[in-house]
Amino acid sequence: MAALALLPITADAACRQALALGLDVSESVDAFEYRQQLDGLAMALQSPRVQEVLFRQPEAPIHILVYEWSGPNDQKVVVPWTAIDTVVTLGTVAGRLQNHQRSEAAPTTAIGSAMLAGFDYLRERSYCWKRTLDLSGDGQTNTGPKPEDISDNRTPSGVVVNGLVIGSGNMRGDDERFADIKELSSYYRTRVIRGSDAFVEVALGFEDYAAAMERKLLREMV
């Protein structure tokens, strides 16, 4: 991993957006789905349309951090804060995602804890013009603080929290499956997302994750 080390960023560098991406790696995410999630994010970041937005203002790049989350004490940074200012830098980030191996973590789902960890990461980029937390997940909180109980005064000023809901099962779908997706989307809309223009994107399954993440990035990046 030493060859993939990313350069530190000085605090006086212009930054038009800080985007922290939290990926659900709880027990409901199997090994194949885990890879679809990390590889899907790498694919979305490298899509031509996303690159067009990323490199729109090279003098004030978007800074990205990626972390995994599951239980209350299981948040692991996969990609540290990185200014996406060149194709080479973007390729390094994508390579880190594609080569990262899953580590041991609690099997539970602690969205509130993942949110608080994301807030801490975003405080490290207080000088960015916009700050966004992007939480992906395939289930509701079953441990740790509930996201709806995290008060506004614990949310850094101006931070927007968006959600990416991931459906389970195959892509054929049936009434029960779509009802589950609708229920989880409603959960994220009413309890997780917050801030001006916050929204929820939906992936019908992990096989749809890359396309859903691309749509989400295009909607939330400035």
Side-chain angles (χ1 to χ4, degrees):
M1 282 296 184
L4 293 175
L6 304 176
L7 296 176
I9 301 165
T10 57
D12 58 354
C15 165
R16 74 179 188 269
Q17 184 176 15
L19 178 58
L21 298 115
L23 310 181
D24 180 1
V25 297
S26 57
E27 187 176 44
S28 58
V29 179
D30 65 26
F32 181 65
E33 293 168 341
Y34 177 85
R35 285 263 49 101
Q36 285 182 308
Q37 193 171 192
L38 269 72
D39 294 347
L41 175 56
M43 186 182 303
L45 286 169
Q46 293 181 101
S47 77
R49 292 198 302 164
V50 169
Q51 288 193 55
E52 182 181 351
V53 178
L54 281 172
F55 302 131
R56 183 176 291 161
Q57 291 180 259
E59 73 284 358
I62 293 175
H63 293 200
I64 287 178
L65 175 142
V66 182
Y67 67 103
E68 299 175 340
W69 61 270
S70 57
N73 300 308
D74 296 287
Q75 299 90 35
K76 180 181 177 62
V77 173
V78 178
V79 177
W81 281 119
T82 306
I84 310 298
D85 52 359
T86 67
V87 174
V88 172
T89 303
L90 179 59
T92 300
V93 168
R96 182 171 289 224
L97 290 167
Q98 292 164 337
N99 287 289
H100 182 74
Q101 299 301 309
R102 188 175 194 167
S103 57
E104 292 294 327
T108 51
T109 302
I111 299 175
S113 300
M115 182 184 294
L116 291 173
F119 291 164
D120 286 341
Y121 298 137
L122 287 166
R123 287 188 181 95
E124 299 171 4
R125 288 295 176 271
S126 59
Y127 56 88
C128 292
W129 307 342
K130 180 179 179 180
R131 293 183 292 171
T132 306
L133 176 57
D134 183 329
L135 290 175
S136 299
D138 71 344
Q140 300 183 15
T141 293
N142 57 30
T143 187
K146 296 178 180 179
E148 67 267 28
D149 291 339
I150 297 173
S151 60
D152 290 342
N153 62 16
R154 300 186 72 183
T155 304
S157 177
V159 165
V160 174
V161 181
N162 295 324
L164 199 169
V165 168
I166 309 167
S168 59
N170 59 52
M171 292 291 288
R172 289 175 298 174
D174 53 30
D175 290 345
E176 183 177 355
R177 179 169 180 241
F178 282 110
D180 289 343
I181 294 173
K182 184 177 180 180
E183 180 181 358
L184 186 56
S185 297
S186 176
Y187 177 87
Y188 264 71
R189 287 191 179 92
T190 58
R191 306 188 187 196
V192 178
I193 67 172
R194 60 183 64 192
S196 177
D197 298 321
F199 67 93
V200 174
E201 182 59 72
V202 175
L204 295 181
F206 280 91
E207 59 270 56
D208 185 42
Y209 185 85
M213 177 57 77
E214 180 178 349
R215 293 193 301 269
K216 190 168 190 290
L217 290 171
L218 291 171
R219 185 171 174 182
E220 69 192 349
M221 292 193 311
V222 296

